[in-house]
Amino acid sequence: MFKFSFQVEPEDESPSTTSKDEKAKPESSTEESKSTVKGDSDVYPCEELDFESLQSNKTAVNPEVTSSFTPGAELAIDYLNHLALLDETFTDDIVTAETDHSDLIPNRYEGGLKVWECTYDLGEFLSACEERRAEFGGKKVLDLGCGAGLLGIEALLLGASCVHFQDYNKDVLTKLTMVNYDLNCRSSTESDESKEQKSTPVEVKFFSGDWGSFTEKYDETYDLILTSETIYSTQNYAKLLQLFDRKLEPSGVVYLAAKTYYFGVGGGVRLFEQAIDADGRFRHEVVWKCCSGVKREIVRITRKL
């Protein structure tokens, strides 16, 4: 059984005033110019990132987190939770969001430095039984909107032959996702023992940028797409469905974890199900549900044959 135990420093400041359950509200005219949505031409372009660039960024993360992960053990995660770490090496948008205790700035910073609740749900769901764990053997997986990269790391450790990590912000990938991959996968796979046991190399890639440009720029397709807390904005539903259509293999599966409703933002599982039905290309089924507290669900999505 996988355990999701996160080495996260407790917040000693007031709670975030902007989240995926609330609309981002800039506090000054200066910040308004940064967060105003100007359309698709204003979003970040898609880019494939070199993992080796991590080496020059290690000073930006917590050096005390050094443990690695093996199946059945705990997952080590490096989480940027102190403003002292948000120096000039980060983009202005991320510094602004963290300084203002804001979880997102639309089309600028989409919350990748925070591990959202539904990531825990999906990670535990996928590892809960042998049948679901077996889905990953030899498969090509996309961790879409990956943030810390926990779902993609889990896929690798469950036997996926290829995992691609995608997140909106380049800084999230280079300073968090890649670090966690390095802590949990890279060091162990490079040991002498692992080299002897490994018959086929595992492919790992990292992509930053907007979903629309990612869909158009790369021809990659996947057996499994894992995505968590990515349907809070109804404006992105068309892009997301188009990505599923272009990137999912004919017999592939999407596992999407999200809150039933994102109050104040307008998205949620029910609205996304309506978008799927109107689109007509996919089937959907709720395979897990939490009815206590903030209601959360996991949806299994497949193509209509």
Side-chain angles (χ1 to χ4, degrees), residues 18-30:
T18 303
S19 71
K20 290 181 181 179
D21 294 334
E22 299 177 356
K23 291 184 178 178
K25 296 180 180 178
E27 296 182 2
S28 69
S29 58
T30 301

Side-chain angles (χ1 to χ4, degrees), residues 14-18 25-28 30-32 34-35 83 86 92-105:
S14 59
S16 169
T17 57
T18 303
K25 296 180 180 178
E27 296 182 2
S28 69
T30 301
E31 300 314 324
E32 281 180 11
K34 291 181 180 179
S35 59
L83 293 180
L86 294 168
D92 289 343
D93 296 316
I94 290 179
V95 174
T96 298
E98 292 295 309
T99 302
D100 292 346
H101 305 289
S102 173
D103 288 330
L104 63 89
I105 300 175

Side-chain angles (χ1 to χ4, degrees), residues 109-160:
Y109 166 63
E110 298 290 341
L113 294 181
K114 177 175 179 178
V115 180
W116 296 88
E117 296 89 338
C118 294
T119 301
Y120 302 104
D121 298 334
L122 185 53
E124 291 171 359
F125 172 82
L126 294 172
S127 64
C129 70
E130 183 59 37
E131 182 180 355
R132 285 197 289 271
R133 293 195 294 270
E135 282 190 78
F136 290 89
K139 296 298 177 62
K140 188 172 182 180
V141 179
L142 173 64
D143 185 350
L144 185 67
C146 62
L150 306 186
L151 298 174
I153 290 170
E154 181 179 14
L156 285 167
L157 297 168
L158 287 172

Side-chain angles (χ1 to χ4, degrees), residues 138-142 160-164 203 220-224:
K139 296 298 177 62
K140 188 172 182 180
V141 179
L142 173 64
S161 62
C162 168
V163 172
H164 292 177
E203 179 187 292
E220 308 278 2
T221 56
Y222 304 92
D223 303 299
L224 288 164

Side-chain angles (χ1 to χ4, degrees), residues 13-277:
E13 309 246 9
S14 59
S16 169
T17 57
T18 303
S19 71
K20 290 181 181 179
D21 294 334
E22 299 177 356
K23 291 184 178 178
K25 296 180 180 178
E27 296 182 2
S28 69
S29 58
T30 301
E31 300 314 324
E32 281 180 11
S33 64
K34 291 181 180 179
S35 59
T36 300
V37 178
K38 298 180 181 178
D40 287 351
S41 61
D42 202 34
V43 299
Y44 291 153
C46 183
E47 178 183 0
E48 183 177 350
L49 307 177
D50 181 5
F51 175 76
E52 299 308 322
S53 65
L54 166 67
Q55 303 306 316
S56 62
N57 290 306
K58 281 190 172 179
T59 56
V61 299
N62 183 354
E64 296 179 358
V65 182
T66 57
S67 59
S68 60
F69 179 89
T70 54
E74 294 184 351
L75 180 62
I77 176 173
D78 206 335
Y79 181 63
L80 306 175
N81 199 42
H82 294 292
L83 293 180
L85 298 176
L86 294 168
D87 56 18
E88 67 278 0
T89 65
F90 285 82
T91 62
D92 289 343
D93 296 316
I94 290 179
V95 174
T96 298
E98 292 295 309
T99 302
D100 292 346
H101 305 289
S102 173
D103 288 330
L104 63 89
I105 300 175
N107 273 26
R108 284 288 168 262
Y109 166 63
E110 298 290 341
L113 294 181
K114 177 175 179 178
V115 180
W116 296 88
E117 296 89 338
C118 294
T119 301
Y120 302 104
D121 298 334
L122 185 53
E124 291 171 359
F125 172 82
L126 294 172
S127 64
C129 70
E130 183 59 37
E131 182 180 355
R132 285 197 289 271
R133 293 195 294 270
E135 282 190 78
F136 290 89
K139 296 298 177 62
K140 188 172 182 180
V141 179
L142 173 64
D143 185 350
L144 185 67
C146 62
L150 306 186
L151 298 174
I153 290 170
E154 181 179 14
L156 285 167
L157 297 168
L158 287 172
S161 62
C162 168
V163 172
H164 292 177
F165 296 86
Q166 187 279 335
D167 197 86
Y168 192 73
N169 294 96
K170 180 177 179 178
D171 274 0
V172 169
L173 288 157
T174 59
K175 297 176 174 68
L176 181 60
T177 317
M178 290 180 179
V179 175
N180 286 326
Y181 165 68
D182 194 44
L183 287 171
N184 292 288
C185 300
R186 171 107 161 179
S187 57
S188 61
T189 57
E190 289 187 344
S191 67
D192 292 337
E193 182 181 355
S194 295
K195 284 179 180 178
E196 291 175 4
Q197 293 176 351
K198 194 163 61 171
S199 55
T200 18
V202 173
E203 179 187 292
V204 176
K205 292 183 180 180
F206 301 86
F207 298 92
S208 66
D210 173 66
W211 289 338
S213 56
F214 175 64
T215 301
E216 295 300 324
K217 189 172 181 179
Y218 298 100
D219 294 328
E220 308 278 2
T221 56
Y222 304 92
D223 303 299
L224 288 164
I225 297 177
L226 311 178
T227 190
S228 170
E229 305 267 21
T230 49
I231 59 169
Y232 54 90
S233 172
T234 57
Q235 295 178 18
N236 289 323
Y237 286 4
K239 282 185 184 179
L240 190 55
L241 290 168
Q242 181 65 6
L243 186 152
F244 290 167
D245 188 49
R246 293 276 293 276
K247 301 297 185 186
L248 192 65
E249 288 285 343
S251 59
V253 177
V254 177
Y255 283 108
L256 182 148
K259 295 182 177 70
T260 306
Y261 301 103
Y262 289 91
F263 297 101
V265 185
V269 174
R270 298 289 83 78
L271 283 175
F272 192 63
E273 287 175 333
Q274 292 174 21
I276 294 174
D277 292 338

